[in-house]
Amino acid sequence: MEPLYTTQTAYTFDEYKKYNKKILLNKLLLIFILFIAVITLLFILSKSSIFLILMLLYIIILAVVLPILINWNLKKVFYADRHLQKNGLYTYSFYENYFEAKTNSSFTKFDYEDIFSIIESKTNFYIMKSPNQAHIIVKNNCSPELLEFISNLKNKK
């Protein structure tokens, strides 16, 4: 059977970083906000100016160091995945009820009803298989019809 649409995605570090930024940034931002709320509550309860100065210093250091650590960890994880390095070009074929993802050494068939969610950014769609796993679809590599097809899938979720 012929696919309705096809596209390709090269899984580069840049695409991996965009994915992680889109998916993980909201979670990290929530944790950071909760952390600041707890610190504020502790300051109000302690009424110590030294405590406030130390906590502000800690927050500033965290805000500078955390992005560096996150980027370092992303590089470590991405470049440790030998399969991804060897098979970084994915070809996606979209059919009526499922899509396929192929590399030169792997094949996956995924029913649309099993999609956890579809997240859209300015440049990509992330077809989530689970809360932490996604197929990256680069919009620039898609026909207008495929973009509409994925948008319709997203709206059904």
Side-chain angles (χ1 to χ4, degrees):
M1 182 159 92
E2 286 295 313
L4 301 172
Y5 312 101
T6 59
T7 188
Q8 290 188 320
T9 296
Y11 275 60
T12 62
F13 178 69
D14 185 48
E15 292 301 333
Y16 182 74
K17 192 174 176 180
K18 285 182 202 175
Y19 159 73
N20 278 279
K21 183 178 179 184
K22 182 71 176 175
I23 304 305
L24 298 178
L25 191 61
N26 292 337
K27 293 175 186 176
L28 287 175
L29 193 57
L30 178 63
I31 290 169
F32 196 69
I33 289 169
L34 288 173
F35 176 75
I36 290 173
V38 169
I39 296 300
T40 303
L41 181 63
L42 289 173
F43 170 70
I44 291 169
L45 293 175
S46 74
K47 297 181 183 178
S48 168
S49 59
I50 293 174
F51 179 77
L52 175 64
I53 293 169
L54 289 175
M55 285 302 108
L56 286 175
L57 184 61
Y58 181 72
I59 290 170
I60 291 168
I61 290 171
L62 189 63
V64 170
V65 171
L66 193 60
I68 294 168
L69 289 175
I70 289 170
N71 197 48
W72 175 79
N73 190 51
L74 286 177
K75 283 182 181 177
K76 180 180 164 188
V77 170
F78 180 80
Y79 291 111
D81 188 340
R82 299 277 185 231
H83 175 77
L84 194 57
Q85 302 308 308
K86 188 176 173 185
N87 305 295
L89 183 64
Y90 278 72
T91 300
Y92 292 101
S93 301
F94 292 85
Y95 297 86
E96 188 70 33
N97 298 313
Y98 64 94
F99 73 93
E100 297 172 343
K102 298 177 199 170
T103 69
N104 61 358
S105 67
S106 67
F107 173 84
T108 303
K109 181 180 173 183
F110 205 74
D111 291 331
Y112 297 135
E113 63 187 32
D114 295 332
I115 293 173
F116 179 76
S117 69
I118 298 176
I119 298 171
E120 185 175 3
S121 72
K122 291 178 184 177
T123 58
N124 297 337
F125 282 107
Y126 303 103
I127 301 177
M128 305 298 293
K129 301 188 304 183
S130 69
N132 297 319
Q133 283 188 308
H135 288 282
I136 300 171
I137 307 297
V138 177
K139 288 180 177 181
N140 282 343
N141 298 345
C142 296
S143 67
E145 295 82 11
L146 178 54
L147 293 174
E148 184 178 340
F149 183 81
I150 297 172
S151 289
N152 289 338
L153 283 175
K154 178 183 169 220
N155 293 334
K156 290 179 185 176
K157 281 289 157 190

